[in-house]
Amino acid sequence: MCLIQARWHVPYAVVYLTGACNLGCSYCFANRLPPRHMSRRTGERVVEWLFENSRDGKEDPLILSFFGGEPLLRFSILRCMVEFSDRLSDRYGKRIVFSVTTNGTLITGEILDFLEARQIAVLFSVDGDRRTNDMHRNFKNGSSAAETIYAGARSVLERFPKVAARMTVTRDNLHRLADNIRFLHRLGFRFISPCPALETITGHKAWEEFDRQCRRAAEYVIRNALDGDYLHLHFLDNGIDQLVHKRAVDVACGAGKTIVGIDTNGDIYPCHRFVSYAPNDGKRFRLGNIHDGIDPVRALPFRRYDRSNVLGCYTRCRECPANDFCAGGCIALYHETTGNFLAPLVQQQKLMSVWQEICAETVDCFKQRGKFAFLLEQIKLKPKSFLPLRIYLKTGLSDFPAPGYSPPGFVSKEDQGWLIEAGSDGESRKNWESFGRFQTRCGNESDPSWRNTGRRRPRGASTPSGGSASTA
């Protein structure tokens, strides 16, 4: 079934070149994948599909991000895919920009020459100093990879001074978060993205420490900014941009809307994290493949997902103090931990509340120091991962589905009827009907059944019915 391709354009694909990796990071969700590789023929077809899928759309450039495992294990395929895109650019009248996420241990002069010549963006995975990296990011044999990672980082930073460092923050290393940000800054990184593994950060003391560490990091940014050296922390840049320009966010990442993940065999999933569920639960979330396109029935729950569907953490989203700051978080993580991608972890509200407060205080501090204009100029330099969803609501998304379009969120009966008529297998219908039940629960304020999800409220917190939760 390819009905969706003529009406819905996916401009961004995260592509697994391999499920293999030379590191054995203990927290990596890609560990669930078998160590198989993408073939050259499949890689070229991925590029062709991305062009074909957006043939009638206005999206230009398209975005393709190489992922893994460690994608540089398959550098030859990466090179072939980039060069193949050149041959198709003129035919389709648009181009693809590329990026790669790497652990930096396989960096060579040849690789850097190619990445630089083709202007391929690099996202560098590194957690901090050696003590922190050795907690989780070692070679397969257990030996430390830290010095190899730092050598790769220095080589990359010489060619790509604006490369971003991606830090995974867990309960084990969150007490060193501010120190690790300073370490990476001294190493040469000016763009750093701390990414909390929310499922690992539990307990009041852990969140107190996380709050303290984020405040120390913000203070470090402010001190350096007063000397004219601005360090870009992803959560600060994005949060300040939202607060200053009063931008509410509808979705956290666009999974299944503006972005898809593609497995080594060409199967298409809502995002790269959903690809990691393929070995055990592949059929449930597989949207299609690069040969036959995307099944509209399978895709619709993700296409229509936004924060109006989210069931809430401690409170309903509309009652949350971080309501306009939060878009619901990672739906793939929620599926894995709660079994329902509409049911966020309670940690999501803690995270957003901490970051919102720190961002607001940082803005006030820059204003008091007379550096607010400088802050706004620096925020403009923050990396753009992909275009905002609202752009696609005005282009590809606005033409779907054919029998009458309703805004993202709740699905009209007309749309449901059209999709059921479009036909699909029983599993797709089952997913679709289940999503419809979640929507009904989310939209009915008088229905308390959404609370029966195993998630808890703080003691004394009010419930939608006006009562008080009895458990902490």
Side-chain angles (χ1 to χ4, degrees), residues 325-384:
F325 192 77
C326 173
C330 176
I331 61 176
L333 171 63
Y334 302 154
H335 161 70
E336 181 178 345
T337 53
T338 71
N340 176 1
F341 66 76
L342 299 179
L345 297 174
V346 294
Q347 292 97 312
Q348 176 67 18
Q349 188 179 57
K350 292 177 180 290
L351 176 69
M352 291 294 101
S353 298
V354 167
W355 279 356
Q356 182 185 37
E357 186 172 328
I358 292 174
C359 288
E361 292 174 2
T362 301
V363 169
D364 290 341
C365 185
F366 273 93
K367 288 180 177 179
Q368 292 169 7
R369 302 296 180 91
K371 285 281 191 176
F372 185 58
F374 171 77
L375 174 64
L376 295 185
E377 285 300 315
Q378 294 300 315
I379 293 296
K380 293 178 182 177
L381 302 177
K382 69 187 178 78
K384 307 295 192 299

Side-chain angles (χ1 to χ4, degrees), residues 149-456:
I149 291 172
Y150 303 148
R154 295 185 188 98
S155 298
V156 171
L157 286 163
E158 287 179 4
R159 306 278 194 101
F160 299 86
K162 293 185 178 180
V163 66
R166 185 198 184 281
M167 305 169 58
T168 298
V169 183
T170 69
R171 185 184 179 94
D172 296 333
N173 63 28
L174 67 85
H175 65 286
R176 297 187 56 79
L177 174 58
D179 290 338
N180 284 323
I181 287 172
R182 284 194 293 270
F183 174 86
L184 294 178
H185 188 213
R186 290 195 296 268
L187 190 61
F189 288 101
R190 297 187 61 233
F191 297 84
I192 301 175
S193 178
C195 300
L198 288 183
E199 68 276 22
T200 72
I201 305 176
T202 58
H204 184 65
K205 289 185 178 180
W207 281 101
E208 279 189 336
E209 181 62 25
F210 181 79
D211 182 284
R212 182 162 46 250
Q213 291 293 321
C214 287
R215 291 179 185 280
R216 287 181 59 200
E219 291 167 0
Y220 179 75
V221 169
I222 293 168
R223 286 197 303 270
N224 281 274
L226 295 177
D227 295 329
D229 178 21
Y230 186 81
L231 170 63
H232 294 263
L233 292 186
H234 186 267
F235 79 88
L236 274 183
D237 282 6
N238 277 8
I240 291 171
D241 185 52
Q242 281 180 244
L243 293 176
V244 169
H245 298 100
K246 296 180 172 57
R247 292 173 179 159
V249 184
D250 289 327
V251 292
C253 68
K257 290 173 176 279
T258 58
I259 182 175
V260 293
I262 302 180
D263 201 355
T264 52
N265 62 0
D267 284 345
I268 300 173
Y269 292 84
C271 75
H272 56 289
R273 184 152 185 162
F274 276 105
V275 173
S276 70
Y277 305 145
N280 299 319
D281 203 10
K283 185 178 179 182
R284 181 178 180 187
F285 292 108
R286 187 171 66 89
L287 303 183
N289 61 68
I290 56 175
H291 304 289
D292 301 323
I294 299 175
D295 183 328
V297 177
R298 288 184 176 275
L300 193 67
F302 301 96
R303 307 288 191 180
R304 291 301 179 81
Y305 168 86
D306 66 18
R307 64 178 185 165
S308 67
N309 305 129
V310 178
L311 299 179
C313 303
Y314 280 126
T315 62
R316 293 274 188 168
C317 288
R318 70 188 63 179
E319 300 164 359
C320 176
N323 180 32
D324 290 334
F325 192 77
C326 173
C330 176
I331 61 176
L333 171 63
Y334 302 154
H335 161 70
E336 181 178 345
T337 53
T338 71
N340 176 1
F341 66 76
L342 299 179
L345 297 174
V346 294
Q347 292 97 312
Q348 176 67 18
Q349 188 179 57
K350 292 177 180 290
L351 176 69
M352 291 294 101
S353 298
V354 167
W355 279 356
Q356 182 185 37
E357 186 172 328
I358 292 174
C359 288
E361 292 174 2
T362 301
V363 169
D364 290 341
C365 185
F366 273 93
K367 288 180 177 179
Q368 292 169 7
R369 302 296 180 91
K371 285 281 191 176
F372 185 58
F374 171 77
L375 174 64
L376 295 185
E377 285 300 315
Q378 294 300 315
I379 293 296
K380 293 178 182 177
L381 302 177
K382 69 187 178 78
K384 307 295 192 299
S385 55
F386 49 86
L387 294 176
L389 176 66
R390 61 181 179 276
I391 293 178
Y392 300 107
L393 292 175
K394 297 177 181 178
T395 56
L397 181 59
S398 62
D399 300 325
F400 174 82
Y405 173 77
S406 59
F410 294 97
V411 182
S412 67
K413 292 182 179 179
E414 291 80 8
D415 292 349
Q416 179 178 351
W418 175 75
L419 285 164
I420 296 301
E421 288 297 322
S424 185
D425 58 41
E427 184 68 24
S428 294
R429 293 176 186 271
K430 179 181 177 181
N431 288 342
W432 168 246
E433 292 166 0
S434 177
F435 181 73
R437 288 195 296 273
F438 291 145
Q439 285 186 312
T440 300
R441 287 166 61 189
C442 180
N444 187 351
E445 286 290 335
S446 63
D447 179 10
S449 62
W450 68 276
R451 296 196 302 260
N452 300 325
T453 58
R455 292 172 291 120
R456 295 182 175 181

Side-chain angles (χ1 to χ4, degrees), residues 44-117:
E44 291 180 346
R45 176 56 194 160
V46 167
V47 173
E48 190 173 23
W49 175 83
L50 191 57
F51 276 118
E52 288 178 354
N53 178 263
S54 62
R55 183 199 304 266
D56 301 321
K58 300 176 183 178
E59 305 90 353
D60 185 23
L62 307 172
I63 304 171
L64 193 153
S65 181
F66 297 110
F67 202 72
E70 172 49 50
L72 293 185
L73 285 171
R74 301 292 286 168
F75 175 66
S76 60
I77 301 301
L78 183 155
R79 181 196 292 269
C80 287
M81 292 173 67
V82 173
E83 293 173 345
F84 184 67
S85 73
D86 293 340
R87 303 205 294 269
L88 298 183
S89 289
D90 290 339
R91 183 195 307 176
Y92 289 95
K94 56 182 66 179
R95 66 189 181 96
I96 297 178
V97 295
F98 296 90
S99 67
V100 59
T101 299
T102 178
N103 60 37
T105 59
L106 301 176
I107 294 293
T108 64
E110 177 191 3
I111 290 175
L112 286 174
D113 288 342
F114 183 79
L115 297 180
E116 186 177 29

